[in-house]
Amino acid sequence: MHDTIAADRLTLRPLTVQDADEMAEVLTGEELYAFIGGAAPTVPELRARYARLETGRSPDGRQEWLNWIIRRDTDGRALGYVQATVTDEGRRAEVAWVVGTPWQGRGYASEAAAALAGWLRARGVARIEAHIHPDNHASMTVAGRIGLLPTDHIEDGERLWAWDRPA
């Protein structure tokens, strides 16, 4: 199990299967999937996904799967999640963040992503990456706030944003 991460107004708690019921509610709403695709998961789908993720590693062992539920400190309410897929023996992390529609526009994604990026940097990760749809201006803003810069690399229609540890 990985660390709990504290931020100003939020706490990032390691994801567990028990989070599925609450997160199914957080992850409703078609507009949430405009840029990431797919549809709102059902509780059974989330339970199965979270059971896989809770193992913390890909089946081949090459990827470390780190997932946190974003919880508001004032009431403990789940607002979304952040995740990092760590590869290259801990040197590279692909990150993502999702905040439920009712809580968007309040800085929660930026705060959670910054806490995650800080935790990864303190752990020695040398490169942090995120793939962002070119129309997802909110995620581009979050990426910029955590120090990621857009690159020329496009994969599956998404631009790679990246931060590299200074030499």
Side-chain angles (χ1 to χ4, degrees):
M1 179 72 70
H2 46 285
D3 299 335
T4 294
I5 302 171
D8 289 341
R9 302 173 294 162
L10 308 169
T11 300
L12 310 182
R13 298 211 183 278
L15 170 146
T16 68
V17 172
Q18 290 74 31
D19 295 311
D21 290 19
E22 185 178 11
M23 287 302 294
E25 184 180 321
V26 171
L27 299 174
T28 60
E30 281 183 37
E31 57 277 7
L32 193 59
Y33 301 91
F35 300 116
I36 60 176
T42 65
V43 171
E45 289 169 339
L46 272 186
R47 284 186 186 140
R49 181 183 313 161
Y50 288 3
R52 284 190 309 276
L53 294 174
E54 209 174 0
T55 66
R57 288 229 168 253
S58 61
D60 65 8
R62 291 185 185 160
Q63 299 176 338
E64 185 179 13
W65 294 339
L66 303 172
N67 296 270
W68 292 263
I69 301 299
I70 303 167
R71 293 197 173 274
R72 190 169 47 198
D73 288 343
T74 55
D75 58 8
R77 177 128 184 37
L79 307 178
Y81 66 87
V82 292
Q83 63 187 37
T85 301
V86 181
T87 58
D88 296 336
E89 298 173 354
R91 292 188 301 269
R92 185 171 67 88
E94 170 89 19
V95 298
W97 48 85
V98 173
V99 170
T101 306
W103 304 282
Q104 291 179 3
R106 300 179 193 183
Y108 292 133
S110 292
E111 185 175 331
L116 171 59
W119 185 86
L120 290 166
R121 289 174 179 128
R123 209 171 164 225
V125 171
R127 182 173 177 88
I128 298 174
E129 302 174 340
H131 286 85
I132 301 174
H133 188 281
D135 295 328
N136 191 340
H137 300 287
S139 278
M140 287 186 255
T141 298
V142 171
R145 286 182 178 156
I146 66 170
L148 277 61
L149 298 172
T151 70
D152 292 333
H153 183 77
I154 306 288
E155 186 176 321
D156 296 327
E158 295 182 324
R159 181 171 305 281
L160 174 67
W161 287 62
W163 168 87
D164 288 295
R165 182 174 303 285

